[in-house]
């Protein structure tokens, strides 16, 4: 093959092929095609030998120019492609933090809310604060003294059976337990009041409690109570009953009332069980309330003088009442939750309803 007449056309063809290359692989193939051993350019160079010296010189110069142009174009395109590929890669791996992936891959974020037990605790606090109580808290790990001893429940007292306990450290230096009720917070408040001159006391104490109970529809081994304590002058059982009734109608509504039935607690005397109208049948009698029309919420009574003695308050000067009931049980009764275990299972279908 001779030298083509139109070397410009050869360059133009190469230029078009180079411009069409899209990837590193493309440009490698195109380079071989337009300037490699089998390219028209190489063939033309081989054809130079058959020319007269003058024509050969002229054609050789033009072919050299053409090769320089083509190789230049290939190099430039190669650089451009590298850059294009890099930006494509960066674009692909870019994360758009403002992107909304509606429903398909990830569900849109929803706003959470407080757990029903926390909502219930807050609502109970609100009612008592409205009645003039302060809110206090105490530790969940207690010594034997706070959980039992100061509450008139000495070691080996049969009443300890009412509060099956998780012991953390039996014996020396001091027995510690996960508190079985919020009543030990009463002891903390009274001891502090004796030191700081903080009497009288009107306080409620919400918090988590633990018992060695098997979970069932009405019991959880980890549960919540709210304790109440009033220590003042001339406090009577009527103050206790009145406080309980005002609280009951304020929290559960005007149709729900309270009643106190005689009971026994070592730290109150007299003691009572605190019951409310069954919220399921409104007092008619149903399975939930065992046909009685009443549901037990907790215990209460007048502070036993032995407890005053234990903390150093003079029972001849001061009297008081205390109560304690389940926050989880309140939530159950107010929202008619058949099985209390739903409160700990964290099933969204349940939690979302509140
Ligand atoms: N602490 C008792 C319980 O958990 C309830 C109670 C509190 C009883 C205060 C009387 C006074 O069962």
């Amino acid at each position: 093959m001779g030298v083509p007449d139109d070397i410009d056309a050869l360059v133009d063809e190469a230029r078009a092929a180079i411009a069409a290359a899209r990837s590193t692989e493309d440009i490698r193939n195109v380079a071989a095609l337009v300037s490699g051993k089998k390219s028209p350019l190489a063939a033309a160079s081989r054809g130079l030998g058959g020319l007269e010296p003058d024509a050969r010189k002229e054609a050789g110069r033009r072919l050299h120019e053409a090769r320089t142009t083509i190789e230049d174009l290939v190099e430039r395109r190669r650089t451009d492609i590298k850059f294009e590929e890099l930006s494509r890669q960066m674009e692909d791996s870019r994360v758009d933090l403002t992107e909304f992936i509606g429903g398909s891959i990830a569900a849109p974020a929803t706003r959470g809310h407080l757990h029903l037990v926390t909502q219930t605790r807050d609502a109970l606090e609100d009612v008592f604060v409205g009645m003039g109580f302060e809110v206090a808290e105490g530790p969940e790990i207690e010594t034997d003294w706070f959980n039992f001893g100061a509450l008139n429940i000495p070691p080996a007292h049969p009443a300890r059976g009412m509060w099956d306990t998780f012991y953390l450290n039996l014996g020396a230096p001091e027995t510690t337990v996960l508190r079985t009720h919020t009543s030990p917070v009463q002891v903390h408040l009274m001891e502090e009041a004796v030191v700081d001159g903080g009497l009288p006391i009107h306080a409620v104490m919400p918090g988590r409690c633990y018992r060695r109970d098997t979970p069932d529809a009405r019991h959880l081994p980890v549960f919540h109570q709210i304790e109440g304590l009033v220590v003042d002058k001339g406090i009577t059982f009527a103050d206790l009953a009145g406080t309980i009734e005002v609280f009951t109608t304020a929290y559960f509504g005007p149709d729900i009332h309270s009643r106190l039935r005689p009971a026994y607690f070592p730290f109150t005397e007299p003691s009572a069980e605190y019951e409310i109208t069954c919220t399921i049948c409104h007092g008619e009698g149903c399975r939930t309330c065992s046909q009685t029309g009443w549901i037990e919420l907790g215990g209460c009574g007048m502070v036993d003088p032995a407890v005053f003695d234990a903390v150093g308050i003079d029972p001849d000067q001061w009297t008081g009442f205390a109560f304690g009931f389940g926050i989880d049980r309140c939530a159950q009764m107010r929202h008619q939750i058949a099985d209390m275990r739903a409160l700990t299972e964290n099933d969204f279908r349940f939690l979302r309803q509140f």
Side-chain angles (χ1 to χ4, degrees):
M1 180 190 162
V3 178
D5 293 335
D6 198 348
I7 292 180
D8 289 343
L10 197 147
V11 172
D12 284 346
E13 265 170 46
R15 190 193 308 279
I18 291 165
R22 287 280 161 267
S23 63
T24 306
E25 203 189 328
D26 276 0
I27 194 66
R28 195 184 311 122
N29 296 336
V30 171
L33 235 67
V34 297
S35 64
K37 284 190 186 125
K38 291 180 182 160
S39 63
L41 192 67
S45 298
R46 281 194 295 277
L48 285 176
L51 295 179
E52 291 304 310
D54 278 355
R56 188 190 324 159
K57 200 175 168 199
E58 171 59 13
R61 189 188 58 76
R62 290 185 52 214
L63 276 176
H64 177 72
E65 246 179 48
R67 173 169 291 278
T68 313
T69 309
I70 288 173
E71 283 178 353
D72 230 43
L73 287 170
V74 167
E75 265 335 290
R76 260 191 265 160
R77 185 71 197 120
R78 203 193 297 280
T79 313
D80 285 355
I81 283 175
K82 258 198 203 133
F83 181 76
E84 283 167 19
E85 281 181 346
L86 196 67
S87 15
R88 213 176 304 142
Q89 245 176 39
M90 277 163 53
E91 183 61 29
D92 286 352
S93 57
R94 194 174 122 229
V95 178
D96 180 359
L97 296 177
T98 66
E99 188 175 19
F100 174 76
I101 312 169
S104 55
I105 300 172
T110 53
R111 197 187 161 118
H113 62 68
L114 295 177
H115 189 276
L116 176 59
V117 173
T118 309
Q119 290 182 40
T120 307
R121 185 203 63 198
D122 290 352
L124 294 172
E125 282 180 14
D126 283 352
V127 173
F128 283 112
V129 166
M131 292 166 71
F133 286 79
E134 283 175 48
V135 180
E137 275 179 37
E140 290 176 25
I141 297 173
E142 285 290 11
T143 60
D144 193 87
W145 164 255
F146 281 102
N147 198 79
F148 295 121
L151 292 167
N152 201 24
I153 318 172
H157 191 285
R160 288 201 178 201
M162 290 163 73
W163 294 277
D164 249 347
T165 316
F166 293 106
Y167 284 92
L168 296 177
N169 178 23
L170 253 182
E174 222 175 345
T175 298
T176 48
V177 300
L178 291 180
R179 69 176 177 197
T180 56
H181 48 180
T182 43
S183 298
V185 192
Q186 289 186 37
V187 180
H188 286 289
L189 286 192
M190 288 190 278
E191 284 191 347
E192 280 162 27
V194 168
V195 175
D196 305 342
L199 291 172
I201 296 169
H202 303 87
V204 287
M205 300 142 258
R208 196 173 290 136
C209 305
Y210 306 81
R211 283 187 201 173
R212 267 193 54 200
D213 275 346
T214 307
D216 64 26
R218 282 155 55 86
H219 298 91
L220 298 172
V222 180
F223 61 105
H224 303 78
Q225 283 191 336
I226 185 161
E227 190 85 8
L229 174 69
V230 168
V231 179
D232 208 333
K233 300 213 160 132
I235 297 294
T236 70
F237 201 92
D239 295 313
L240 168 59
T243 302
I244 293 273
E245 175 64 13
V246 169
F247 157 74
T248 303
T249 49
Y251 182 72
F252 289 100
D255 316 341
I256 307 295
H257 294 283
S258 62
R259 75 171 185 184
L260 302 181
R261 291 202 311 153
Y264 169 73
F265 296 101
F267 36 94
T268 46
E269 181 61 34
S271 301
E273 249 161 33
Y274 159 34
E275 297 184 341
I276 60 165
T277 318
C278 177
T279 55
I280 313 284
C281 64
H282 283 255
E284 295 292 312
C286 67
R287 267 184 32 206
T288 307
C289 61
S290 310
Q291 309 302 330
T292 62
W294 297 91
I295 295 278
E296 189 199 325
L297 224 53
C300 61
M302 303 305 289
V303 179
D304 194 301
V307 175
F308 281 145
D309 279 341
V311 297
I313 290 177
D314 180 358
D316 291 330
Q317 269 199 57
W318 301 92
T319 47
F321 65 75
F323 57 81
F325 54 84
I327 296 178
D328 318 75
R329 185 66 65 79
C330 278
Q332 181 176 36
M333 281 303 120
R334 180 143 150 183
H335 299 284
Q336 292 154 25
I337 298 162
D339 193 322
M340 212 188 244
R341 286 170 288 194
L343 293 171
T344 63
E345 282 162 357
N346 287 340
D347 185 331
F348 272 143
R349 290 165 300 180
F350 172 76
L351 294 176
R352 268 201 205 104
Q353 300 173 55
F354 306 101

